[in-house]
Amino acid sequence: MRKVIGVTKANSSMATLAVLAVVSYALLWIAWVQQWAWLDRLDSPMLNALHDYGVQHPSWVTSWNVFCTVLGPSAFRLVGLVVAVMALVRRRWRVAIFVAVTIGLSGPLSVLAKSLADRPRPSTYLVAAPSSSFPSGHAVGVMVGVLALLALLPPSVDGWRRVVSFALGAVVVTAIGVGRVVLNVHHPSDVLAGWALGYLYFYPCLRLLTPTPGDDSSPAHPDSA
């Protein structure tokens, strides 16, 4: 009975987060399109402060740029490719499909979302970055990558190891988002929108591709991840 209650609560929490993600992304997108003043008040102070600090500390900028490159979306796509190939070799078709759809398609999702907003990068950027700014492609890709890999954790990873895995995932997602703002290649609102869109994309993928009970050839059920 306790397990059923736990499953219900987990499903409810994930659904609530998905609703919040929809609202957050829509609000930020509309705020940019309509040029609402509060969006600039949210973004500018942090960008200006981090820009001034970065100009005075080039090694700080270099460190964050390396970090965001090493643990950026491309790294998760590479890991996802390895996981998908291993799954295909073992004939775990649902795992391969799950990884391909989530991690593999998060890039095109970011490109589409950017084209719909077409927001310029901050003029104070400290490193070069292609494409437009809203939402942060790094935030989208890393959010989806981390969540997808956590969903694939085997049941043997339980207790404190599962807690540590989730904590590390949260640290990576947060740090990459912060790093993009530190480098002034994204407004803080771009990162918030990227996190929202990443979760909003991951959630239905997980629900639709979750295995039926007893199917070991699929991603772990969200309630066990």
Side-chain angles (χ1 to χ4, degrees):
M1 184 66 178
R2 247 184 298 180
K3 184 175 180 180
V4 173
I5 294 174
V7 167
T8 302
K9 286 183 177 180
N11 287 335
S12 177
S13 297
M14 292 185 72
T16 299
L17 285 175
V19 172
L20 290 175
V22 171
V23 173
S24 299
Y25 187 84
L27 180 61
L28 291 167
W29 188 86
I30 293 170
W32 156 243
V33 172
Q34 297 297 319
Q35 295 292 292
W36 288 346
W38 65 262
L39 190 65
D40 184 63
R41 290 196 294 269
L42 169 68
D43 291 331
S44 293
M46 188 178 299
L47 281 176
N48 292 336
L50 290 170
H51 172 265
D52 293 344
Y53 186 86
V55 169
Q56 297 171 15
H57 301 83
S59 59
W60 164 261
V61 174
T62 301
S63 298
W64 276 105
N65 193 30
V66 170
F67 174 76
C68 289
T69 301
V70 171
L71 284 180
S74 295
F76 283 92
R77 291 184 193 118
L78 179 59
V79 173
L81 177 61
V82 172
V83 172
V85 170
M86 291 176 61
L88 289 174
V89 169
R90 298 175 182 178
R91 298 187 178 183
R92 301 181 66 186
W93 313 118
R94 283 181 175 265
V95 171
I97 293 172
F98 174 74
V99 172
V101 171
T102 53
I103 299 178
L105 295 184
S106 63
L109 172 68
S110 298
V111 172
L112 175 61
K114 284 176 179 289
S115 67
L116 293 175
D118 196 25
R119 185 184 194 183
R121 299 274 183 179
S123 59
T124 53
Y125 60 86
L126 295 170
V127 296
S131 74
S132 56
S133 189
F134 183 100
S136 165
H138 274 66
V140 174
V142 174
M143 171 67 86
V144 173
V146 167
L147 289 176
L149 294 178
L150 288 175
L152 292 172
L153 286 176
S156 58
V157 180
D158 57 4
W160 68 269
R161 290 181 297 176
R162 185 166 290 268
V163 172
V164 169
S165 297
F166 275 75
L168 286 175
V171 168
V172 170
V173 169
T174 303
I176 289 294
V178 169
R180 301 307 282 170
V181 179
V182 167
L183 296 172
N184 265 232
V185 292
H186 280 295
H187 308 85
S189 56
D190 299 332
V191 173
L192 295 176
W195 286 338
L197 182 60
Y199 183 82
L200 182 58
Y201 178 66
F202 167 79
Y203 176 71
C205 287
L206 183 62
R207 302 307 301 177
L208 291 172
L209 296 173
T210 297
T212 55
D215 183 358
D216 295 330
S217 62
S218 309
H221 191 278
D223 309 310
S224 66

